[in-house]
Amino acid sequence: MSDPGSGVNKVATVSLTVNGRRRRVRVPPMKRLLDVLREDLALPGSKEGCGEGECGACSVLMDGVSVNSCLIAASQAEGARIVTVEGLAPARGVSRLQQAFIDFGGAQCGICTPGMLITATELLRRTRGRVPSDAEVREALVGNLCRCTGYQKIVDAVRAAAGAGRATKRPAGAKRGAKRASGAGRSKTRRPGRKAK
Ligand code: FES
Ligand code: FES
């Protein structure tokens, strides 16, 4: 970060990598990363639910770790690698995880979905091809709240994505691409915004 300026209206230049692209923004150092992403970088996929680190709707990957972007100041993201829900899909179509959310009804109103996808992505990178148990998925997603699905459909979707469909059979009648699941914790331990497990 450079060019701090002075006074209450000071702005600073923050350099970070977002979805693989180097970005520089001039923002107040304490502006929330969530707002930087949505307002300054035109990436509205990350959602605001509570704004207090409780719901996980604002989750992004920060240097590979799922964090609540409503609790991260812009200055804390200096030099970080950020991945938002917009960065999860391939150039065309949706990722396997996103498709599983579609197939299993893991996305309903969709407010929680970007955060769920981000945190599930972190989990699946950790498990490296092993299908996580129901309990593991639920523990990983403990900081992501959903008011619609009852969670089991989300758990099934994550496990199916891990096992290429082996963990849980795709529900009969599910249509591929029927509904977009692109979507476009609590206090932290490893770094600000890190979700508690
Ligand atoms: S908006 Fe709820 S945790 Fe960030
Ligand atoms: S799908 Fe509506 S809050 Fe999760």
Side-chain angles (χ1 to χ4, degrees), residues 47-58 68 70:
K47 301 291 184 278
E48 177 162 12
C50 63
E52 299 179 343
E54 293 294 332
C55 74
C58 63
N68 293 325
C70 70

Side-chain angles (χ1 to χ4, degrees), residues 160-177:
R166 293 193 303 273
T168 313
K169 281 186 70 172
R170 195 168 156 208
K175 291 183 184 168
R176 294 180 77 81

